[in-house]
Amino acid sequence: MLYLYNSLSREREPFRPHEEGKVGMYTCGPTVYHFAHIGNLRTYIMEDILDRYLRYSGYDVKRVMNITDVGHLAGDSDDGEDKMLTGARREHKTVLEIAKFYTDAFFEDCKKLNIRRPDVVEPATHCIGEYIKIIKKLIDTGYAYVSGGNVYFDTSKLENYYVFNRQNEEDLAVGVREGVEADDAKRNKCDFALWFTKSKFEDQELKWNSPWGLGYPGWHIECSAISMKHLGEYLDIHCGGIDNAFPHHTNEIAQSEAYLGHKWCSYWFHVLHLNTQSGKMSKSKGEFLTLGTLEDKGISPVVYRFFCLGSHYRKSLVFSWDALENARGTYDKLVSRVAQLYAEGDGDIDAAAFEEYKRRFTDALDNDINTSLAITALYDVLKADTNDKTKLSLIEDFDRVLCLDIAKNAKARRDADEAKRQAEEGDPEILAAIARRAEAKKNRDFALADAIRNELSARGVTLIDTPEGTRYTVSGAQK
Ligand code: AMP
Ligand code: ZN
């Protein structure tokens, strides 16, 4: 049985979806104003493992992801400039051009990292009608109010607003936390905007008509609305990086539960950060590493995935080039060892061994997605006292979840090794045919000798008889 740590209860809990056998999973997607950095990608890799492991375990998973192309302000709360506008200005493009470019770039990165594309990917700008519907009801039921031209959620209407941690209200209230002026239009410091018609900057590019005037949605409402649109009133798992627990996810819960009138999401899966040696990696700091940076240094994306799987998702991970180099070396050795199995592997699958090692693997992942233990289970297979065929089947099976391209790269390594060996020693099949021809000639069976020569010639192999013996060429390469 799968156990997951739930940030909401702060406990490891047995995973029981709302509807048996089915899982609704929501993932906060990227804010597409820049390339994703490798910290963002760590979060998506670890969420991908959860997604794939649920499928591997037989669940019918529907995963939904938004694309934040509007409403995410620089301060993560309600202050600062819209991140999309910042990106558009930086690159002298329109917001929609920026959104398209970086959405495509994000999914390119995901593809390279073997991150499965969610079943539904929904840009925030496509759901304005849904936000308006929710906000209207929140106003009608007294959970939201219009003030200073904006619509705010009234957090004082909730018994428990700070659901994830017992933060000090004063420390976290918007304005105090960010060290900026509190918004006078808010009734309570921690209220948050659902809809803006007025903000500190007036040149917002994308605006829509609403009952409260021309404006645009707040960032938090998009995830509640998009999740409910595609996954209904009960969400099983909500994923995201830990920085989003407050205020983003806290606000999502506040508005969703106020709107629905019941508990909304059962499990909160938060991935801890990838940090640099000098602190958190962040897009807004401007200095960050992308997958492209790693590739430029000759590190393949799958090595970065392997690096991430070496640590538990609930521990922060410190990035260094040395650690990544180490991961590359380890991955290379792993591939070489598996390549050897492909070169030699024979026999029938040993069902008992298969079950035993598969159990080690599922035990690891059932234990709150412990990927480093799952990789240990993979090494256990390599050391196991069973035949190569069984080992290969296990490795291929595990790689349905790990998606480290182990089989693909091992087969390529085996083929490359074989091609190298043939380049050095000659193709064993051709050398055998040459030996048979020499034998035929010795026996004065010239008809057979000619038949062998013709057969080779039909395959593009030309024989050259020399005083030292017969050599051959294939497409010009002489042996
Ligand atoms: P964003 O594109 O800024 O909306 O972030 C995309 C995802 O990356 C969110 O789930 C964030 O919580 C997550 N994230 C942001 N910074 C980091 C980091 N340094 N390490 C891991 N995940 C991060
Ligand atoms: Zn979100």
Side-chain angles (χ1 to χ4, degrees):
M1 165 143 227
L2 171 61
Y3 279 77
L4 287 179
Y5 178 83
N6 187 353
S7 315
L8 204 56
S9 63
R10 292 173 216 96
E11 273 172 23
R12 249 165 109 263
E13 292 178 22
F15 177 65
R16 289 199 186 87
H18 187 71
E19 207 181 315
E20 208 185 318
K22 287 192 166 184
V23 179
M25 184 171 169
Y26 184 83
T27 303
C28 288
T31 309
V32 283
Y33 72 112
H34 218 313
F35 291 108
H37 59 59
I38 58 172
N40 303 132
L41 295 171
R42 176 194 192 199
T43 290
Y44 294 112
I45 289 170
M46 303 318 280
E47 293 170 353
D48 181 64
I49 294 284
L50 173 62
D51 178 3
R52 288 184 186 272
Y53 186 58
L54 289 165
R55 288 171 207 270
Y56 174 93
S57 308
Y59 286 106
D60 175 8
V61 181
K62 182 174 177 188
R63 179 155 174 223
V64 176
M65 178 191 276
N66 68 309
I67 298 291
T68 299
D69 53 0
V70 70
H72 193 171
L73 306 189
D76 262 13
S77 44
D78 298 332
D79 47 82
E81 196 171 39
D82 184 305
K83 290 189 177 185
M84 293 303 299
L85 201 60
T86 313
R89 287 227 189 92
R90 186 186 62 232
E91 299 186 20
H92 309 289
K93 289 189 181 139
T94 66
V95 162
L96 288 179
E97 281 167 349
I98 286 283
K100 161 121 189 51
F101 179 82
Y102 287 114
T103 302
D104 291 349
F106 172 73
F107 285 113
E108 274 292 303
D109 285 352
C110 288
K111 206 165 145 195
K112 289 180 184 168
L113 288 163
N114 292 333
I115 295 171
R116 189 181 175 282
R117 191 185 168 96
D119 305 283
V120 177
V121 173
E122 181 89 272
T125 48
H126 289 195
C127 299
I128 302 299
E130 273 86 6
Y131 313 144
I132 292 178
K133 187 178 97 186
I134 296 174
I135 298 168
K136 265 187 178 163
K137 184 171 169 191
L138 291 174
I139 294 176
D140 290 349
T141 50
Y143 282 105
Y145 58 93
V146 181
S147 174
N150 296 336
V151 185
Y152 295 97
F153 187 91
D154 186 347
T155 53
S156 71
K157 291 282 184 312
L158 304 177
E159 264 177 38
N160 179 20
Y161 168 62
Y162 297 106
V163 284
F164 287 110
N165 22 37
R166 298 174 190 95
Q167 294 116 323
N168 176 327
E169 194 157 328
E170 279 300 305
D171 285 351
L172 287 173
V174 171
V176 179
R177 187 176 68 107
E178 299 294 335
V180 296
E181 270 173 62
D183 181 346
D184 287 340
K186 292 182 184 181
R187 286 184 192 160
N188 311 290
K189 277 185 192 157
C190 44
D191 290 355
F192 56 93
L194 297 165
W195 188 269
F196 291 98
T197 68
K198 294 252 179 316
S199 66
K200 292 185 184 123
F201 56 104
E202 290 302 324
D203 53 352
Q204 178 75 15
E205 219 176 277
L206 300 175
K207 288 186 186 183
W208 296 265
N209 276 318
S210 80
W212 316 285
L214 196 64
Y216 58 97
W219 171 38
H220 318 297
I221 192 71
E222 71 182 70
C223 287
S224 293
I226 292 173
S227 168
M228 288 185 221
K229 176 177 173 189
H230 296 288
L231 297 166
E233 290 192 10
Y234 294 92
L235 175 61
D236 293 306
I237 308 177
H238 195 308
C239 312
I242 190 67
D243 57 316
N244 280 347
F246 185 87
H248 186 48
H249 296 156
T250 304
N251 292 350
E252 280 186 47
I253 293 174
Q255 66 206 1
S256 300
E257 298 194 350
Y259 174 75
L260 292 169
H262 59 71
K263 185 169 168 153
W264 169 52
C265 174
S266 312
Y267 300 86
W268 287 83
F269 180 89
H270 283 124
V271 180
L272 271 283
H273 275 171
L274 177 82
N275 297 318
T276 60
Q277 271 141 335
S278 56
K280 185 191 153 193
M281 189 171 293
S282 88
K283 270 192 239 184
S284 46
K285 277 191 192 164
E287 239 187 331
F288 58 84
L289 298 171
T290 62
L291 198 62
T293 328
L294 302 196
E295 288 181 290
D296 289 347
K297 299 224 179 202
I299 306 278
S300 86
V302 95
V303 165
Y304 181 62
R305 187 174 169 106
F306 183 68
F307 169 75
C308 290
L309 300 194
S311 299
H312 195 260
Y313 75 91
R314 279 202 308 114
K315 291 208 173 100
S316 47
L317 176 59
V318 177
F319 175 83
S320 74
W321 289 106
D322 282 351
L324 194 61
E325 263 313 321
N326 253 336
R328 193 219 321 239
T330 314
Y331 179 78
D332 254 19
K333 275 193 209 129
L334 175 65
V335 166
S336 293
R337 287 176 73 180
V338 178
Q340 256 172 22
L341 297 179
Y342 276 109
E344 293 157 14
D346 245 345
D348 293 325
I349 291 183
D350 171 353
F354 189 92
E355 286 314 314
E356 154 67 14
Y357 285 92
K358 187 180 167 93
R359 197 185 47 71
R360 291 192 196 189
F361 179 72
T362 54
D363 278 355
L365 292 174
D366 280 343
N367 180 8
D368 193 24
I369 311 294
N370 194 327
T371 45
S372 67
L373 268 184
I375 291 190
T376 305
L378 184 79
Y379 280 103
D380 288 348
V381 169
L382 288 173
K383 288 182 267 169
D385 184 17
T386 183
N387 63 34
D388 291 353
K389 184 73 178 274
T390 309
K391 292 182 185 181
L392 287 173
S393 313
L394 281 160
I395 290 165
E396 286 174 12
D397 183 64
F398 298 178
D399 216 25
R400 282 165 51 210
V401 180
L402 304 176
C403 287
L404 292 169
D405 290 344
I406 299 174
K408 188 177 116 194
N409 287 337
K411 282 180 194 163
R413 177 81 48 94
R414 177 206 54 190
D415 292 348
D417 288 350
E418 180 58 21
K420 192 167 155 231
R421 205 182 55 73
Q422 286 189 16
E424 280 162 15
E425 297 170 12
D427 182 328
E429 227 184 287
I430 300 173
L431 294 178
I434 291 173
R436 268 188 280 116
R437 176 170 167 267
E439 183 68 19
K441 272 171 125 183
K442 207 169 113 197
N443 297 336
R444 308 191 69 74
D445 186 349
F446 297 112
L448 177 60
D450 284 349
I452 293 171
R453 173 193 281 275
N454 292 342
E455 199 186 303
L456 288 172
S457 160
R459 288 169 47 194
V461 180
T462 310
L463 299 185
I464 307 150
D465 291 317
T466 71
E468 291 81 37
T470 303
R471 296 216 305 264
Y472 71 88
T473 59
V474 187
S475 315
Q478 196 159 333
K479 294 277 165 265

